[in-house]
Amino acid sequence: MVQVNGDGLHSSCNAESPVTVGERRLCDDRTTVTCSTSALCSPQGTQVSRNQILESVKQHEEEDVGAEGALLKSNGASRLQQNVDDTSCSSSTTESLFPSAEELPPRPPRANSCNYTHWVALDVGKDFHDQYVYRHANGLCIIGLLPTHVAFKPTPAVTAVDFNVGKQSRADLKVSGKRKKNAITLEPNSVLCKVMVGESFYLIRCCVRGVLLEVNERLIKAPGLLNTQADTEGHIAIMMPRPEDWAKASKVLLTLEQYRERRGL
């Protein structure tokens, strides 16, 4: 039998047994007793103060909160250390990827100097008919004139560029599609165009065997690009040699260092 008054809870169970939080016990009179904290049921009856019950509950709550707080503090410290490690790692990675401003060159390098391998064909057909072949990693080759080409001596004075050579003008060639429809295969000695210097002209050749993809049609209206930007905007044509054809051409072509040594530059 359980009685509750204003001061506390009086229980009259038959056997002494500790009752924990949330535990249910059945006395002889078939009355179910639910204790909210540790208590003692005895035949003589035990007076349990409400304040004692609240203090016990509070003590258990403080213990639980203290354990959770310690766990949260430990997790927070580990996360903070991880963030510090990530920040230091990110900082070192950034420093390695991005150099300081003092280490940068005054001007960025040109695309043809960092993305292409430079090759040289000396005396193509005649003396001092020097041409360059810039080869990209994907196999594309850009053909153009070197500063030591006879067309630029004694002063660069190219007046016209004519792609109307052979049976068909190279400028009329329109290659399309993945299979390079309408493309033609040219030999190393095949003529790409004629460069006019006053009343004289010079034949510009392919230097490598491959498929002609396009010619620089801007030279038709602006031939002066050869005088000022022969290695970039004033290139002649773009070709795609097969790997076996390039293997043969690379044995004949010179490197940029060999070219400078041969020409005393």
Side-chain angles (χ1 to χ4, degrees):
M1 188 72 179
V2 180
Q3 296 179 356
V4 180
N5 52 30
D7 297 330
L9 180 144
H10 180 272
S11 61
S12 58
C13 298
N14 292 329
E16 293 184 359
S17 58
V19 182
T20 59
V21 175
E23 187 177 355
R24 302 169 65 88
R25 287 196 177 275
L26 189 65
C27 298
D28 290 341
D29 56 358
R30 316 307 297 173
T31 302
T32 300
V33 180
T34 302
C35 300
S36 59
T37 185
S38 298
L40 183 65
C41 297
S42 62
Q44 294 81 9
T46 302
Q47 184 73 23
V48 181
S49 172
R50 176 182 296 178
N51 294 334
Q52 294 178 352
I53 297 175
L54 295 178
E55 289 179 0
S56 179
V57 172
K58 184 177 180 180
Q59 181 179 359
H60 284 289
E61 290 179 351
E62 290 178 352
E63 292 177 356
D64 295 340
V65 171
E68 293 178 358
L71 180 60
L72 291 176
K73 184 177 181 181
S74 176
N75 293 340
S78 61
R79 290 179 181 177
L80 178 60
Q81 183 63 34
Q82 183 178 0
N83 292 337
V84 171
D85 295 340
D86 294 343
T87 302
S88 60
C89 180
S90 176
S91 177
S92 61
T93 303
T94 303
E95 291 177 358
S96 62
L97 292 178
F98 303 99
S100 61
E102 292 76 9
E103 298 176 356
L104 295 176
R107 294 183 179 181
R110 292 183 176 182
N112 61 358
S113 62
C114 58
N115 297 332
Y116 293 84
T117 304
H118 292 195
W119 297 86
V120 175
L122 289 184
D123 304 328
V124 182
K126 293 183 179 181
D127 292 341
F128 288 98
H129 282 57
D130 300 341
Q131 298 180 215
Y132 65 77
V133 180
Y134 294 162
R135 186 173 188 268
H136 195 271
N138 59 11
L140 288 177
C141 292
I142 300 178
I143 313 298
L145 304 184
L146 287 169
T148 54
H149 195 280
V150 68
F152 301 139
K153 296 180 179 180
T155 56
V158 175
T159 56
V161 177
D162 185 11
F163 290 103
N164 190 15
V165 294
K167 298 180 180 179
Q168 182 183 6
S169 174
R170 306 300 190 198
D172 295 337
L173 182 65
K174 303 299 180 183
V175 179
S176 62
K178 184 177 180 180
R179 297 183 179 274
K180 304 298 185 289
K181 185 179 179 181
N182 300 326
I184 59 175
T185 301
L186 301 178
E187 299 296 327
N189 290 329
S190 299
V191 178
L192 289 172
C193 66
K194 293 186 294 184
V195 173
M196 314 296 295
V197 180
E199 296 180 356
S200 303
F201 67 88
Y202 303 95
L203 299 179
I204 310 303
R205 304 183 185 274
C206 294
C207 303
V208 295
R209 186 181 190 274
V211 175
L212 177 62
L213 299 182
E214 65 177 57
V215 296
N216 189 3
E217 298 182 12
R218 293 181 60 187
L219 296 178
I220 299 176
K221 296 182 178 181
L225 290 174
L226 277 175
N227 299 326
T228 57
Q229 305 179 58
D231 60 337
T232 54
E233 301 295 330
H235 68 276
I236 301 297
I238 299 177
M239 299 185 64
M240 172 63 84
R242 296 183 302 177
E244 53 269 25
D245 292 332
W246 175 252
K248 295 178 181 179
S250 61
K251 296 179 181 180
V252 180
L253 299 175
L254 303 179
T255 64
L256 194 59
E257 291 74 15
Q258 293 173 334
Y259 158 69
R260 291 170 178 171
E261 183 179 355
R262 290 279 296 271
R263 291 301 187 218
L265 300 176

